[in-house]
Amino acid sequence: MSSVEFAAGWLSGAAGLVLGHPVDTVKVRLQTQAGYRGILDCVVRTYRDETVLGFFKGMSFPLLSVAMVNSVMFGAYSNALLYLSNTHHRDRRSNPPSYTHIFVAGCFSGLVQAVVLAPVDLVKVRLQNQTHPYSRGALPAEAQPLYRGPVHCAAKILQKEGVLGLFRGSLALVLRDTPTMAMYFMTYVGLCRGMTAEGQEPGPVTVLVAGGFAGSVSWALATPMDVVKARLQMDGMKGKEYRGILHCILTSARQEGPQVFLKSLALNSFRAFPVNAVTFLSYECILKIAC
């Protein structure tokens, strides 16, 4: 069962990533760059300067690695729930685990995911923040992108910032993912139970709605720390500006006001609904086929 859970998480994560990456690129740029007037301005300028390919910058690396991280998230959650409640996935409808167990398993899942995700997320954010056009051959040397791709980006970070540089912003990532993954799974399970007759399996529409709302709720809670995380990750590229999470929070609030921590809140919630609806539906369908 454990290997099936990991495989289902991998495939569902890849499906969700492809769907949500363009919106994620816009979100990252709004959080870390001050030159955009809003979502539409960012979308228009990205398309004008970089074509549609600009929205997919940094996706090749996460397509392999974030899918793996997603498998770790679902696998860690399922195995933690199995340990806590002694209930396999196929038995959880007839013998549902308690919300306490779901909360603890979700926190564990978020913690494990954050540790594995940290270097991948750093490379993705750095690549997404490069605003060069794709016709690189026509650019002067000074306008060439700093990173030529994910492997080159990781190598450059290692060279300039050391091994710890690959984990820049990782504590903020842990603080973001540990509680929000608990809310993610609790929302999904709660909605599935509430929308399904006792003893029945939730249908595809129920899974889509529950997964979508779970994603939107968890990202609404994650957005403030997501802003801090993204700024800390870009800090090494721009020169050291923040001394840590608290300094980043205080400096950002002082310079831009407390509303800075709600940057991309609407975009995050909008993106999260279809991405997580597809992720959960893919996950549940794969488990049904495999089990």
Side-chain angles (χ1 to χ4, degrees):
M1 175 62 69
S2 298
S3 59
V4 174
E5 299 274 3
F6 280 98
W10 186 303
L11 294 172
S12 62
L17 177 68
V18 172
L19 182 64
H21 194 82
V23 183
D24 186 63
T25 297
V26 176
K27 180 263 296 186
V28 167
R29 292 185 176 189
L30 288 172
Q31 288 179 339
T32 59
Q33 299 180 28
Y36 300 112
R37 296 191 299 272
I39 295 172
L40 184 59
D41 181 50
C42 182
V43 170
V44 170
R45 287 170 59 182
T46 299
Y47 180 76
R48 183 191 64 205
D49 297 339
E50 306 164 56
T51 75
V52 71
L53 296 177
F55 296 102
F56 291 91
K57 280 182 176 174
M59 193 184 78
S60 57
F61 191 42
L63 189 57
L64 297 174
S65 47
V66 170
M68 179 268 291
V69 170
N70 206 70
S71 78
V72 169
M73 178 190 75
F74 276 106
Y77 169 75
S78 186
N79 282 278
L81 206 54
L82 174 62
Y83 175 80
L84 292 167
S85 63
N86 198 28
T87 318
H88 285 278
H89 184 272
R90 62 177 175 268
D91 303 322
R92 286 174 194 159
R93 303 300 176 196
S94 57
N95 185 23
S98 69
Y99 283 109
T100 301
H101 288 160
I102 294 168
F103 178 83
V104 174
C107 285
F108 175 72
S109 170
L111 175 62
V112 173
Q113 173 190 254
V115 172
V116 176
L117 178 63
V120 177
D121 192 61
L122 176 67
V123 170
K124 175 186 73 72
V125 167
R126 294 278 180 95
L127 290 174
Q128 285 175 319
N129 270 287
Q130 293 193 140
T131 56
H132 64 278
Y134 265 88
S135 56
R136 290 199 306 238
L139 295 175
E142 63 272 12
Q144 291 288 331
L146 178 62
Y147 306 122
R148 295 193 297 269
V151 175
H152 182 251
C153 178
K156 276 281 194 182
I157 293 170
L158 273 172
Q159 180 186 5
K160 291 189 174 182
E161 304 172 47
V163 175
L164 291 179
L166 285 172
F167 290 87
R168 186 181 294 276
S170 58
L171 180 55
L173 192 60
V174 168
L175 293 175
R176 185 196 75 178
D177 284 357
T178 302
T180 53
M181 281 299 101
M183 186 57 64
Y184 181 65
F185 286 109
M186 286 181 68
T187 303
Y188 174 72
V189 172
L191 286 174
C192 280
R193 288 179 183 178
M195 297 170 65
T196 307
E198 190 173 346
Q200 299 293 313
E201 291 282 327
V205 174
T206 297
V207 172
L208 283 170
V209 172
F213 273 110
S216 294
V217 168
S218 62
W219 266 107
L221 293 174
T223 295
M225 191 53 67
D226 189 53
V227 173
V228 175
K229 183 268 306 178
R231 292 183 173 215
L232 288 171
Q233 287 173 324
M234 289 302 297
D235 205 27
M237 190 176 179
K238 297 176 179 178
K240 196 163 181 63
E241 180 182 352
Y242 304 118
R243 296 193 296 271
I245 292 175
L246 183 59
H247 184 247
C248 179
I249 292 172
L250 294 175
T251 301
S252 299
R254 185 176 65 251
Q255 292 177 349
E256 302 172 57
Q259 68 272 16
V260 67
F261 302 112
L262 300 181
K263 271 191 173 183
S264 301
L265 173 62
L267 196 61
N268 273 340
S269 299
F270 169 77
R271 163 185 167 269
F273 195 98
V275 168
N276 289 280
V278 168
T279 297
F280 267 110
L281 183 62
S282 304
Y283 178 74
E284 295 286 3
C285 287
I286 292 167
L287 284 182
K288 283 182 181 179
I289 293 169
C291 301

